Amino acid sequence: MIKLIAIDMDGTLLNENKQISMRTQKVLKTAKDQGVKVVLCTGRPLLGIKEFLNLLGLTDQGDYAITYNGGLVQHADTGDVISEKVLTRDQLLSIYELSQSLKVPMNFIDLHRVYCPPYPEGMPSLYSQIMKALPFEQTNMEQIPESFKANKAIFCISQNLLDPAIEKIPKRYFENFTMMKSRPFLLEILNKEVDKGKGLQALGNFLDIAPEEMMTLGDEANDLAMIKYAGLGVAMGNAIEQLKNEAQFVTKTNREDGVAYAIEKFVLN
């Protein structure tokens, strides 16, 4: 019996117009009415998904969200933190040095804003094109206080520049951080103990829900950990091949209400 459904957003819950179809809205509300926990599991901050939580009626006491790719597990109504794993100032300095050597822009994010240290000449970040929920603030790395905590760092630049840069990242960075692409032009860098699977584990421990009682749905590399963790991992029809290979079921695409189709098949019926 499925007690919790964790759903990625971009490319999964949202269609190509960044909207949730009426059919999917109805199915998710029905699942919640039947006592199933419906949890949005995303790389975005909580402020970045508020409109969707409101739309789906997921802001009541007892509703939860997994944000920053599992780095933060929160009560959806209050934002109170259940689990948090962050980057330290020293780690941010190391990631910034890497970005400068690769000649790619780096931003870092906490609960309140997106920070913009100086970019390599002629290499502006594209992050402002997709992040609309948090304000952007110019900063120098020297200004960061010792006690500062960031939820993630990102490299956001066109894929034809990002992919070759990723190939040049020294092995030690992959050993010391969680590094994953959440979009073709966006690399996310997080605390080594962060992924959506670990975020789901933290929430499951909090709610006393076992992995085999969970269903997860996703489409990208950053969804792989939660697809593997849950008893029923579902890949979208538009998912990357690696995710399809790991999933127990491949549903329809995000244009074809793949989320609704899978939930109807395995939860409501």
Side-chain angles (χ1 to χ4, degrees), residues 145-208:
E146 288 289 343
S147 60
F148 186 85
K149 300 185 297 184
N151 292 90
K152 66 178 177 181
I154 59 106
F155 298 165
C156 190
I157 196 166
S158 62
Q159 185 177 5
N160 66 311
L161 295 173
L162 181 60
D163 285 351
I166 291 173
E167 292 179 2
K168 297 176 184 176
I169 295 176
K171 182 180 177 181
R172 68 180 183 276
Y173 283 93
F174 291 97
E175 294 171 345
N176 293 330
F177 299 97
T178 292
M179 308 183 79
M180 63 182 84
K181 288 182 74 176
S182 56
R183 300 195 189 193
F185 55 92
L186 180 62
L187 178 72
E188 306 206 13
I189 307 166
L190 305 110
N191 180 296
K192 183 63 178 176
E193 294 302 311
V194 170
D195 61 47
K196 288 187 177 183
K198 292 186 177 71
L200 199 55
Q201 182 180 25
L203 181 57
N205 290 341
F206 180 78
L207 296 173
D208 196 24

Side-chain angles (χ1 to χ4, degrees), residues 85-98:
K85 295 181 173 69
V86 297
L87 296 172
T88 66
R89 179 183 187 272
D90 286 345
Q91 288 174 320
L92 289 172
L93 291 173
S94 175
I95 296 167
Y96 183 67
E97 289 175 7
L98 173 66

Side-chain angles (χ1 to χ4, degrees), residues 108-165:
F108 55 97
I109 303 109
D110 64 10
L111 295 178
H112 308 292
R113 55 186 55 84
V114 179
Y115 297 88
C116 309
Y119 304 141
E121 186 174 355
M123 293 290 177
S125 173
L126 301 180
Y127 198 52
S128 61
Q129 297 181 14
I130 58 174
M131 170 53 74
K132 305 298 183 182
L134 298 178
F136 283 68
E137 180 178 302
Q138 300 295 323
T139 189
N140 287 311
M141 300 305 290
E142 298 79 17
Q143 296 174 339
I144 303 172
E146 288 289 343
S147 60
F148 186 85
K149 300 185 297 184
N151 292 90
K152 66 178 177 181
I154 59 106
F155 298 165
C156 190
I157 196 166
S158 62
Q159 185 177 5
N160 66 311
L161 295 173
L162 181 60
D163 285 351

Side-chain angles (χ1 to χ4, degrees), residues 58-79:
L58 297 178
T59 56
D60 298 326
Q61 185 178 4
D63 287 324
Y64 305 91
I66 298 173
T67 57
Y68 293 109
N69 278 314
L72 204 57
V73 182
Q74 297 170 272
H75 292 265
D77 55 341
T78 63

Side-chain angles (χ1 to χ4, degrees), residues 10-103:
D10 296 289
T12 302
L13 180 64
L14 305 181
N15 62 23
E16 69 274 20
N17 297 317
K18 301 298 180 185
Q19 297 173 336
I20 305 173
S21 73
M22 291 303 297
R23 176 186 173 190
T24 301
Q25 291 180 44
K26 182 179 178 181
V27 165
L28 293 177
K29 288 175 181 177
T30 300
K32 179 179 174 177
D33 289 344
Q34 292 184 5
V36 178
K37 295 291 185 187
V38 177
V39 179
L40 301 190
C41 191
T42 175
R44 303 183 188 199
L46 190 65
L47 285 173
I49 62 173
K50 274 293 185 183
E51 64 175 300
F52 300 108
L53 292 170
N54 290 329
L55 179 67
L56 296 171
L58 297 178
T59 56
D60 298 326
Q61 185 178 4
D63 287 324
Y64 305 91
I66 298 173
T67 57
Y68 293 109
N69 278 314
L72 204 57
V73 182
Q74 297 170 272
H75 292 265
D77 55 341
T78 63
D80 290 347
V81 174
I82 295 167
S83 172
E84 181 182 43
K85 295 181 173 69
V86 297
L87 296 172
T88 66
R89 179 183 187 272
D90 286 345
Q91 288 174 320
L92 289 172
L93 291 173
S94 175
I95 296 167
Y96 183 67
E97 289 175 7
L98 173 66
S99 73
Q100 293 296 102
S101 70
L102 296 174
K103 293 184 169 51

